[in-house]
Amino acid sequence: MASGPSGGTSSPRGVLAVINNPTFRGVIVQLVFVAVLAWFVWDVIDNTARNLQRANIAAGYGFLNRTAGFGIVQTLIDYAETSSYGRAVLVGLLNTLLVAGLGIVVATALGFLVGIARLSRNWLIAKIATAYVEIIRNIPLLLQLFFWYFAVLRAVPGMREKWTFLGVFHLNIAGLHVPRLAFGDGSIFILAAIPVAIAISVFVAHWGKGRLDRTGRKPPVGWISAALIVGLPILVFFIAGRPITFDVPVFNETGPILRRGFQSGTGMTIIPEFVGLVLALSIYTAAYIAEVVRAGIEAVSHGQSEAAASLGLKPGQTLRFVVIPQALRVIIPPLTNQYLNLTKNSSLAVAVAYPDLVSVGGTVLNQTGQAVEMVSIWMLFYLGLSLLTSMVMNYWNRRVALVER
Amino acid sequence: MRRTIVSAVTGITLALAGLSFASAGTLEDVKAKGFVQCGVNPSLIGFGVPDEKGVWSGLDVDFCRAVASAIFGDPTKVKYTPLNAKERFTALQSGEIDLLSRNTTWTMSRDTSLGLMFVGVTYYDGQGFMVRKSLGVSSALELSGAKVCAQTGTTTELNLADYFRSHNMPYEVVAFEKNEEVLQAYEAGRCDAYTTDASGLYAERLKLTNPDDHMILPEIISKEPLGPAVRQGDDKWFNVVKWTLFALLDAEELGITKANVDEKKTSDNPEIKRLLGTEGDFGTGVGLTNDWAYNIIKQVGNYGEIFDANVGPSTKLGIARGLNNLWSKGGIQYAPPIR
């Protein structure tokens, strides 16, 4: 009976009791680990800074304010040679976002198509889809990138010639030349009409769902929304006096050879570097997405389809209401991986002269010599973008996940 | 790209390691390991390129050999690190290489903020343009509105922008990471013009399917003094590399060649005697043996011989001496005397 409340922390047995307490030990071990990690990180940063200083290498991010002085072939925001390095990096960053965003959309569409095609009962379609997946995912992406880029370049007419289709699309080696929308006074009303139309559509969808629940009849919500989103801006366009016009690319066929071809500053040009990169990234990633989709659909047991059929659901409804919602639970997590891969693979852009973050950053790095700073910007951006993608996808995953009680 | 990141990360890691290389002294390190680690261009004909058997040649490569000859009396004691434009400085800063001899332009920012020092100029170059003859252009000033292919990660993009801006000419730059792709895109017709250092244009033109369909415009739009560089803060090694270059130039000025160096050793000319080490202690002063310059000339030849063998009029490149001739023959190559 010597132990007990009177033992206290001062007695040896009390101390022993605290040390033997697994919670206490757990906390101590974790604290020590965090402290060691923090010390290590601080030491790395401090040491790098001091070594750079000792080697006479300038450090810091001040260079981002200096004038860049070099040109960039595709800019989504205003940029000139007199802009700062920071703005150049921003241009590259937006170019990366554009190529990654479009790549994800195209890869997803193509991947779902091929994944479903692989399960087709039609022998030819299934085999073609299988061949696509096996060929594409077994060839390194860089080689495919070169293939698409140089294939595109060699296939299209030279700079002083063009192919025209549908009257307004012109293709040659300098890119795809299309009319550009020129926004005049009053265009703002048209742009504002789009979110208004979307808001009304949301309201209509809500009303339609209530109507379905009450009466069992489904109003044509999809058609109404489509008519609203397309119709309303067009209506406003005419009311506002047609402020949006087309800026058509100008093509010169006479004059000095260098002056022939499409004139810069007219119309909009989609450069072949962008086309090649999006093609390569989406075709490559689609092969992986196809496999993910196939696995997801095959994971839904056949009994589910049979049960749906016996309830009287049509095949299309079975796919939409029974198979796909359950398949998505399996598809989304690996799909996230593919999106992240595509984003990171877009850094291969520099190989085909697409001015992405790595390409522009490389020029900045070379002109300023600030390797540590530039590499840190690269890493931070890709990390941030990947975390953001994961966050969105995780949110979606939670939405479709099986809720268990 | 990956290699750039790898070398940048290596650079950071080595910076963390405390730059233990620099502290020991590069010359002692080189002597101890028995070879010079030289960073070179792997694909520029006339300056640095390996043949099918892996034997390197070029003006920059011969400079590495000259340094090895000065230290070891043996031009084969060099190991080459092929580097692209973006990796080169990090490779030198991190101690991966002892000497950067890779057609690198000497500029103020590189000399002052990258932790390295240029030892001199091995080749006076300038940026130029190559165009198709069918374009009907005879001057770079007619290139207004042109699409220009260039290599990223060099000063080329900046010079290009400066030139077109100062002449109020619009242009578009398409910048690739590697020279191979720049050339392919130019040949496919993606660009009207191809720009890089003039020496590079002559070399790249040879790789085109029909070199005769292309011409190099007369304008030189920038000063590109190309030279070898070493790490800052190691004066002894800096001196060795610097005086190797001067010895090459002095030898040409004094008429000493690979063929006649042995007979010149008995010459009465005091300047020749000092250069070849038969008089004075100049070699030991720089941390080498007194026959250092003799070894350079015996093994590699003088500057003129190196130039003629790699890029001169009798080679495929066929570049005239021009600015790179000795000061006494109308050029600007000039080396301080040995005394």
Side-chain angles (χ1 to χ4, degrees):
Chain A
M1 297 303 272
S3 69
S6 64
T9 48
S10 55
S11 85
R13 285 192 66 180
V15 171
L16 215 61
V18 170
I19 289 173
N20 283 334
N21 182 342
T23 319
F24 175 77
R25 285 203 303 198
V27 168
I28 290 294
V29 168
Q30 289 182 40
L31 276 180
V32 168
F33 181 76
V34 167
V36 169
L37 193 69
W39 170 80
F40 178 74
V41 170
W42 178 82
D43 194 56
V44 163
I45 293 171
D46 180 63
N47 222 345
T48 307
R50 263 190 290 153
N51 280 326
L52 287 177
Q53 201 179 14
R54 200 165 61 202
N56 268 327
I57 302 171
Y61 290 88
F63 70 95
L64 287 175
N65 291 324
R66 301 211 306 263
T67 305
F70 61 93
I72 301 178
V73 68
Q74 176 191 304
T75 57
L76 298 179
I77 51 173
D78 283 340
Y79 172 85
E81 285 81 0
T82 42
S83 306
S84 67
Y85 282 123
R87 192 147 182 102
V89 170
L90 187 66
V91 166
L93 197 152
L94 291 174
N95 284 342
T96 292
L97 284 179
L98 179 71
V99 90
L102 193 66
I104 282 175
V105 171
V106 177
T108 309
L110 191 62
F112 269 76
L113 213 67
V114 175
I116 292 169
R118 275 203 78 175
L119 297 170
S120 167
R121 284 196 211 105
N122 183 318
W123 184 87
L124 187 63
I125 291 180
K127 289 300 164 200
I128 288 175
T130 309
Y132 170 88
V133 169
E134 291 305 337
I135 290 172
I136 295 298
R137 70 173 179 175
N138 287 313
I139 297 175
L141 177 57
L142 185 63
L143 297 185
Q144 293 191 33
L145 187 56
F146 284 141
F147 172 78
W148 287 114
Y149 180 60
F150 286 109
V152 166
L153 278 195
R154 299 273 179 180
V156 298
M159 231 182 286
R160 324 287 168 215
E161 303 146 56
K162 59 174 178 170
W163 284 341
T164 302
F165 32 100
L166 300 175
V168 288
F169 297 100
H170 313 282
L171 186 70
N172 70 12
I173 200 164
L176 178 66
H177 306 267
V178 297
R180 187 169 54 91
L181 293 176
F183 296 98
D185 290 336
S187 316
I188 186 78
F189 297 114
I190 299 168
L191 296 181
I194 296 169
V196 170
I198 291 173
I200 299 177
S201 302
V202 170
F203 181 73
V204 168
H206 192 72
W207 164 80
K209 194 169 182 304
R211 177 89 185 263
L212 179 68
D213 290 345
R214 265 179 289 126
T215 65
R217 274 187 301 175
K218 198 167 178 293
V221 170
W223 290 109
I224 297 175
S225 309
L228 267 172
I229 293 173
V230 176
L232 195 64
I234 292 180
L235 193 69
V236 177
F237 170 73
F238 284 106
I239 293 172
R242 291 190 264 181
I244 298 182
T245 50
F246 285 113
D247 173 16
V248 182
V250 175
F251 186 83
N252 272 2
E253 293 196 50
T254 51
I257 296 176
L258 198 62
R259 293 295 187 161
R260 291 183 207 167
F262 285 101
Q263 304 299 302
S264 62
T266 64
M268 190 169 78
T269 305
I270 299 163
I271 57 173
E273 289 75 28
F274 178 72
V275 178
L277 185 62
V278 170
L279 268 181
L281 281 176
S282 19
I283 287 174
Y284 180 77
T285 314
Y288 289 91
I289 292 181
E291 286 298 273
V292 168
V293 169
R294 184 174 68 101
I297 292 175
E298 286 190 334
V300 179
S301 96
H302 191 56
Q304 298 273 338
S305 305
E306 287 175 341
S310 61
L311 281 174
L313 292 182
K314 290 177 210 150
Q317 290 176 318
T318 308
L319 198 65
R320 200 172 140 207
F321 296 120
V322 179
V323 178
I324 286 181
Q326 298 188 73
L328 277 183
R329 289 178 191 148
V330 181
I331 291 174
I332 291 174
L335 190 62
T336 311
N337 286 340
Q338 294 312 325
Y339 287 176
L340 298 180
N341 279 346
L342 188 143
T343 308
K344 287 178 285 181
N345 285 341
S346 73
S347 63
L348 288 173
V350 65
V352 295
Y354 179 73
D356 77 328
L357 183 68
V358 174
S359 168
V360 174
T363 304
V364 174
L365 189 157
N366 189 269
Q367 285 191 14
T368 61
Q370 309 284 349
V372 177
E373 291 80 359
M374 206 50 233
V375 172
S376 73
I377 291 175
W378 278 333
M379 294 198 299
L380 215 69
F381 169 72
Y382 281 104
L383 181 70
L385 187 62
S386 296
L387 288 178
L388 201 71
T389 314
S390 303
M391 227 164 73
V392 171
M393 294 300 282
N394 286 340
Y395 170 75
W396 188 27
N397 193 29
R398 273 199 301 279
R399 285 285 303 273
V400 300
L402 192 62
V403 182
E404 291 186 43
R405 277 180 257 271
Chain B
M1 189 57 250
R2 280 194 191 120
R3 295 192 51 193
T4 314
I5 294 176
V6 167
S7 65
V9 170
T10 317
I12 297 167
T13 320
L14 285 169
L16 299 176
L19 292 174
S20 54
F21 296 91
S23 54
T26 312
L27 182 58
E28 284 72 28
D29 286 346
V30 166
K31 280 181 177 166
K33 66 184 175 184
F35 61 88
V36 179
Q37 190 78 43
C38 204
V40 292
N41 191 325
S43 61
L44 187 59
I45 299 173
F47 287 83
V49 70
D51 64 11
E52 310 85 56
K53 291 176 198 136
V55 180
W56 289 79
S57 65
L59 190 137
D60 287 338
V61 167
D62 277 348
F63 185 76
C64 299
R65 292 209 175 99
V67 174
S69 305
I71 301 167
F72 303 109
D74 182 353
T76 61
K77 294 201 166 165
V78 185
K79 287 194 180 172
Y80 300 100
T81 304
L83 295 170
N84 75 22
K86 276 196 268 178
E87 298 161 344
R88 53 186 163 179
F89 301 118
T90 316
L92 184 63
Q93 289 159 354
S94 65
E96 199 179 322
I97 55 173
D98 303 310
L99 166 64
L100 179 68
S101 180
R102 191 207 170 279
N103 55 299
T104 301
T105 305
W106 182 357
T107 67
M108 179 168 177
S109 64
R110 286 176 177 174
D111 216 13
T112 53
S113 67
L114 291 186
L116 49 89
M117 282 171 99
F118 285 85
V119 300
V121 179
T122 49
Y123 187 96
Y124 287 98
D125 207 346
Q127 189 175 335
F129 295 96
M130 176 162 67
V131 295
R132 283 181 177 68
K133 284 180 181 163
S134 62
L135 209 57
V137 172
S138 58
S139 155
L141 290 166
E142 297 167 38
L143 285 178
S144 178
K147 295 182 172 63
V148 186
C149 281
Q151 190 187 2
T152 182
T154 67
T155 49
T156 315
E157 285 172 275
L158 190 65
N159 295 332
L160 177 69
D162 286 354
Y163 183 75
F164 278 83
R165 272 169 69 200
S166 61
H167 289 92
N168 266 325
M169 302 194 292
Y171 75 104
E172 243 175 60
V173 60
V174 185
F176 294 82
E177 187 184 23
K178 294 213 176 100
N179 247 335
E180 289 78 17
E181 275 84 68
V182 187
L183 198 69
Q184 272 196 56
Y186 169 73
E187 187 152 36
R190 175 72 180 92
C191 306
D192 300 306
Y194 173 12
T195 184
T196 187
D197 293 350
S199 60
L201 289 178
Y202 284 99
E204 296 297 327
R205 191 170 71 139
L206 294 174
K207 298 182 190 161
L208 293 167
T209 324
N210 294 311
D212 291 337
D213 292 350
H214 304 266
M215 60 185 281
I216 289 152
L217 296 176
E219 281 83 2
I220 294 293
I221 65 166
S222 69
K223 290 196 286 186
E224 306 289 338
L226 309 181
V230 297
R231 271 183 299 282
Q232 208 172 61
D234 190 343
D235 300 354
K236 223 168 152 185
W237 178 243
F238 176 68
N239 274 338
V240 168
V241 179
K242 184 171 63 180
W243 280 96
T244 301
L245 174 59
F246 292 159
L248 288 169
L249 291 168
D250 282 332
E252 189 186 3
E253 201 179 329
L254 294 169
I256 311 171
T257 64
K258 206 171 175 174
N260 71 11
V261 63
D262 283 315
E263 92 193 46
K264 287 278 184 185
K265 224 173 174 181
T266 55
S267 160
D268 293 332
N269 183 334
E271 283 186 86
I272 294 179
K273 281 176 133 177
R274 288 195 291 264
L275 178 65
L276 297 182
T278 47
E279 191 181 297
D281 278 328
F282 298 99
T284 48
V286 76
L288 303 170
T289 53
N290 279 335
D291 58 354
W292 65 288
Y294 167 82
N295 284 331
I296 296 173
I297 302 155
K298 178 76 186 161
Q299 307 291 349
V300 192
N302 66 34
Y303 178 77
E305 287 177 286
I306 293 176
F307 189 98
D308 289 339
N310 292 302
V311 299
S314 62
T315 64
K316 282 186 293 177
L317 292 176
I319 303 174
R321 275 299 281 274
L323 281 181
N324 290 297
N325 219 331
L326 290 178
W327 63 285
S328 49
K329 293 178 184 162
I332 55 173
Q333 284 288 11
Y334 183 102
I338 292 176
R339 61 171 179 252

